[in-house]
Amino acid sequence: KNHILDIFGHTFIPLRDMFWPGQDPVFAKRVCFNKPHSVMVAANSIMIGAYEEAQITHLFAYNMQNSRLVWGIELQRDSDEASMCLASRLTPQGVVLLHRGGYLRILNPQTGEERYHVNLPARHNDPEFVTFFVTPEGFCYYLAEDNDTPVLFGANIQSGTWDQRFRIERAGIFFELLGNCIQGVCSLNEHVIIEPTGISHTVPKRERMEQGGKVYEIVVSQQNRTTIRVLSNMEDVWLHPEASFGQTWSCDEKVSLVAVCNGICICKKHNHRGYVFVDIAQDTCRHVNRNAMYHTTYINRERAAMWSFTTDSRLWVDSLVETQDKGILNSGRGTRLFHVSQDNTLYFTDIPF
């Protein structure tokens, strides 16, 4: 209760076309979380974030509709190294917290109550580089050290227990989630894809994203010509590694995948300040020149649109069909866009001037 005045002050309002160029949106609500990268949005309009004071960090949740504090719990103490929260994931099972002491806490996002306490087979000792993923189906990938050897563990945590399915030593580095699988670097020119069963596949080193059961893959030629190919399922990645297989779209410059939304690829150009929106099925694309600052883009996946905050302090919304100028936003330092609601309200974190 002592933190309520620290947390609530002013409000968010919808950023629609009511703002004229040069006018800064007036905030009706503002929430103070002094660990901005921990902020997340759960179902039923619940915003969750961390606040540290007097060497104790609490996790708070508030209702974005009525501005009421819903719950608050102690997250960690600086004096207790084991309680240090290394990562948080919002999943259908709840808010999954990874603690340095080698355990998970799974919380109910509506009440803050601890649903499960799951002990891990090994501790993670490097808080700077955390490999920890949870799929929507409740499968967990966790990289830790066991007797000074890096080990990738895979387990089902949906039932609130560590139902281990595999343990692989020296599986790879720089892992990322790819559908229900995990992909990492295993050599200079190769990726390894590991299924929830623990079966591994060595494939060419390429950018990949999964959406709707399909895999979107970037293939770059020696002439820096980029081809995006669409594979109908995950198995095609290792069964058909040749670049000519699958539905494709190509351009004469190097791009990387930012997101795939409803079959529309949003790509970032490497050598230019801009993005490309591509509908591969319709063979259409749209180029957008946009100089967004670091951490200042957000993908609205339902609308296949990208919000961006540029170096001239303007807000933009780009899509395959149009660009909207939302006006000037003097937001402060460290701006990070992290959520757009169904009523087109933008939520972001910053450090006030």
Side-chain angles (χ1 to χ4, degrees):
K1 295 181 180 179
N2 294 332
H3 296 280
I4 292 177
L5 292 179
D6 295 329
I7 293 174
F8 295 104
H10 310 280
T11 333
F12 297 100
I13 61 173
L15 295 176
R16 299 194 179 95
D17 295 330
M18 64 181 73
F19 297 110
W20 294 273
Q23 181 185 18
D24 186 29
V26 178
F27 302 113
K29 297 190 182 84
R30 183 185 293 274
V31 182
C32 291
F33 295 123
N34 58 11
K35 291 182 176 294
H37 291 284
S38 68
V39 180
M40 61 188 83
V41 175
N44 300 325
S45 301
I46 299 295
M47 180 181 289
I48 303 168
Y51 190 90
E52 180 182 5
E53 185 178 23
Q55 297 184 329
I56 301 176
T57 301
H58 287 83
L59 201 64
F60 290 104
Y62 90 100
N63 188 308
M64 295 188 292
Q65 300 296 329
N66 58 25
S67 307
R68 293 182 180 275
L69 183 67
V70 180
W71 54 263
I73 64 168
E74 184 176 308
L75 179 64
Q76 67 182 42
R77 290 175 176 261
D78 289 357
S79 59
D80 181 6
E81 184 181 277
S83 73
M84 179 185 296
C85 184
L86 301 178
S88 59
R89 303 287 184 262
L90 187 60
T91 74
Q93 292 75 38
V95 181
V96 183
L97 306 173
L98 170 64
H99 290 270
R100 190 168 186 173
Y103 61 92
L104 303 178
R105 282 197 293 167
I106 303 177
L107 310 180
N108 183 333
Q110 306 303 319
T111 64
E113 295 177 342
E114 185 175 298
R115 286 175 171 168
Y116 304 114
H117 184 103
V118 182
N119 291 319
L120 300 173
R123 291 181 54 165
H124 185 89
N125 295 319
D126 189 350
E128 299 297 324
F129 299 96
V130 179
T131 299
F132 173 66
F133 302 100
V134 183
T135 71
E137 290 74 22
F139 194 86
C140 177
Y141 296 94
Y142 171 59
L143 185 67
E145 287 192 358
D146 193 1
N147 295 323
D148 296 327
T149 300
V151 178
L152 180 69
F153 296 93
N156 194 332
I157 61 171
Q158 191 170 16
S159 62
T161 61
W162 185 257
D163 182 10
Q164 187 164 305
R165 302 299 174 85
F166 66 78
R167 178 186 186 279
I168 304 174
E169 295 185 3
R170 306 185 188 279
I173 57 174
F174 304 124
F175 284 100
E176 57 187 355
L177 200 61
L178 183 64
N180 290 324
C181 302
I182 191 172
Q183 173 178 275
V185 177
C186 61
S187 70
L188 184 62
N189 298 311
E190 292 178 323
H191 270 138
V192 59
I193 296 178
I194 301 173
E195 300 183 72
T197 58
I199 297 176
S200 301
H201 306 275
T202 302
V203 296
K205 188 178 178 182
R206 295 169 183 166
E207 278 189 61
R208 296 180 180 91
M209 285 189 178
E210 186 271 349
Q211 199 262 334
K214 296 182 179 180
V215 179
Y216 295 77
E217 184 177 79
I218 291 281
V219 182
V220 181
S221 69
Q222 293 182 347
Q223 293 76 32
N224 281 341
R225 181 174 177 80
T226 299
T227 297
I228 304 175
R229 70 171 191 153
V230 185
L231 305 176
S232 59
N233 54 67
M234 187 68 69
E235 289 76 14
D236 283 339
V237 176
W238 50 83
L239 293 178
H240 302 283
E242 61 274 12
S244 59
F245 181 86
Q247 188 179 21
T248 62
W249 176 89
S250 299
C251 65
D252 289 325
E253 55 187 319
K254 195 172 181 181
V255 301
S256 59
L257 278 173
V258 176
V260 181
C261 316
N262 302 321
I264 296 175
C265 298
I266 303 177
C267 306
K268 180 174 177 59
K269 300 180 182 181
H270 279 212
N271 298 325
H272 302 86
R273 296 174 177 176
Y275 295 81
V276 186
F277 293 77
V278 183
D279 187 337
I280 297 177
Q282 300 297 323
D283 194 26
T284 59
C285 69
R286 180 169 183 260
H287 294 255
V288 176
N289 291 324
R290 192 70 63 232
N291 185 19
M293 293 187 286
Y294 185 62
H295 275 319
T296 56
T297 60
Y298 176 81
I299 306 299
N300 185 339
R301 296 184 179 276
E302 292 184 1
R303 302 186 183 188
M306 183 181 74
W307 290 66
S308 57
F309 179 52
T310 53
T311 52
D312 56 357
S313 298
R314 299 193 77 86
L315 271 173
W316 303 87
V317 182
D318 296 299
S319 69
L320 182 66
V321 296
E322 65 176 349
T323 291
Q324 299 177 44
D325 182 353
K326 294 294 186 179
I328 299 292
L329 174 63
N330 294 320
S331 70
R333 298 167 290 125
T335 303
R336 181 176 71 94
L337 316 184
F338 72 91
H339 181 66
V340 174
S341 63
Q342 291 184 347
D343 64 355
N344 216 30
T345 300
L346 171 69
Y347 295 86
F348 63 93
T349 60
D350 72 352
I351 304 171
F353 288 112

